[in-house]
Amino acid sequence: MKQKVYLFTKTAFVRGMQCRKLIYLDKYCSKLRTPPDAETLARFKKGRDFETAFKDLFPNAVDVKQHHKIVSEKYIDFTQTLLDKEGKVELFEAGILYDKVLVLTDVLRKNEDGSYDIFEVKHSEKINSAIAWDLAVQYYVCKHKLHRINTFNVVTRVNETEFLVVDKKEELEEKLDIVSAHIKEFEEILQGFEPDIPMGEQCENPYPCDFRKYCMMKQVL
Ligand code: SF4
């Protein structure tokens, strides 16, 4: 099997911040996951619809996923080729890789002067811990790879068609070192054995974990 070009994704990083065992199971034992129920699927759909409504504000953007369905080296190279073009470039799902971590940005705009504006869309009114870490790791990767970040924005929900756009760049600058330390920690976890972590508050917070059934079964065995 061809090796992936990344060790883990932004989503996996966020899961690791919820629970160290979760990032391990997510990578190596995904078959043990309980599939999402109807309520969760409906929530995901609302999130996708909200993201699409925001993306509609960028009618000239190129959707990288439309050109490469699988996120591979080609996907990342294609993103770079588009960003290397002269002038303004707007992309959906740009694939950026740094420090073995892959992020796909919701909306990435390269401006005429070569600086970047990034928009991460969240169908939420509040920034919970998962969203905060999502932004932090995404900023870390984008900052090291793209260098000239003009703004790094989180787009949250006022209502289904109104968006609140807030630039978090300054705040995220302060989290670069802690993100780097966690990436190293997760790299070590993924090179070892399944972490022995008892169930607790983390199993429901900030989101119910997909591996609860597995961990519950293991606890009673
Ligand atoms: S169920 Fe709890 S202990 Fe098990 S992986 Fe998920 S968060 Fe971690």
Side-chain angles (χ1 to χ4, degrees):
M1 206 204 307
K2 209 176 166 205
Q3 190 133 20
K4 283 186 176 157
V5 287
Y6 54 90
L7 182 63
F8 53 88
T9 63
K10 174 189 81 163
T11 307
F13 178 94
V14 174
R15 290 188 177 139
M17 292 309 299
Q18 178 168 347
C19 171
R20 297 332 187 229
K21 189 172 173 180
L22 173 52
I23 189 171
Y24 184 95
L25 294 175
D26 198 48
K27 184 160 179 81
Y28 298 120
C29 314
S30 61
K31 285 187 183 151
L32 299 172
R33 175 183 288 129
T34 305
D37 58 18
E39 197 183 316
T40 308
L41 289 174
R43 186 162 49 81
F44 289 163
K45 183 178 179 313
K46 272 192 173 181
R48 283 196 303 276
D49 290 348
F50 184 72
E51 186 180 316
T52 303
F54 183 75
K55 285 178 169 174
D56 285 345
L57 301 174
F58 301 82
N60 299 319
V62 176
D63 188 345
V64 181
K65 267 202 172 155
Q66 293 293 323
H67 294 264
H68 291 276
K69 302 279 179 232
I70 296 168
V71 182
S72 60
E73 209 163 352
K74 274 188 186 164
Y75 189 110
I76 293 157
D77 289 348
F78 182 63
T79 299
Q80 193 55 53
T81 304
L82 294 170
L83 291 177
D84 287 343
K85 286 186 178 175
E86 288 292 316
K88 184 168 148 185
V89 176
E90 290 177 336
L91 302 180
F92 296 153
E93 306 302 321
I96 315 286
L97 179 70
Y98 179 78
D99 215 0
K100 299 183 197 150
V101 183
L102 173 78
V103 304
L104 299 183
T105 58
D106 287 340
V107 180
L108 171 66
R109 179 172 62 214
K110 188 187 82 167
N111 300 305
E112 298 278 351
D113 65 0
S115 67
Y116 292 90
D117 294 306
I118 295 155
F119 300 87
E120 175 64 24
V121 187
K122 296 294 178 199
H123 185 248
S124 171
E125 286 163 20
K126 285 191 194 143
I127 309 262
N128 64 18
S129 62
I131 296 176
W133 284 117
D134 178 311
L135 298 171
V137 69
Q138 194 170 171
Y139 182 74
Y140 173 89
V141 170
C142 290
K143 157 103 184 185
H144 285 94
K145 199 72 192 183
L146 304 174
H147 308 296
R148 288 186 61 197
I149 309 286
N150 180 43
T151 62
F152 192 98
N153 306 283
V154 62
V155 181
T156 51
R157 175 183 177 277
V158 177
N159 57 47
E160 292 314 311
T161 51
E162 269 188 85
F163 313 101
L164 176 67
V165 181
V166 178
D167 181 11
K168 306 287 267 185
K169 184 181 155 184
E170 272 186 33
E171 200 180 302
L172 296 172
E173 240 342 274
E174 289 170 18
K175 288 188 168 175
L176 290 169
D177 289 347
I178 182 91
V179 169
S180 173
H182 284 308
I183 290 172
K184 283 187 187 69
E185 180 197 355
F186 294 164
E187 205 173 328
E188 277 172 28
I189 288 173
L190 293 176
Q191 283 165 357
F193 298 102
E194 182 183 315
D196 184 15
I197 296 175
M199 292 186 78
E201 270 182 29
Q202 81 279 9
C203 306
E204 301 288 336
N205 186 20
Y207 301 118
C209 175
D210 300 338
F211 292 96
R212 282 170 301 162
K213 270 192 187 163
Y214 164 75
C215 288
M216 234 178 268
M217 286 239 307
K218 254 195 127 179
Q219 247 174 222
V220 293
L221 287 178

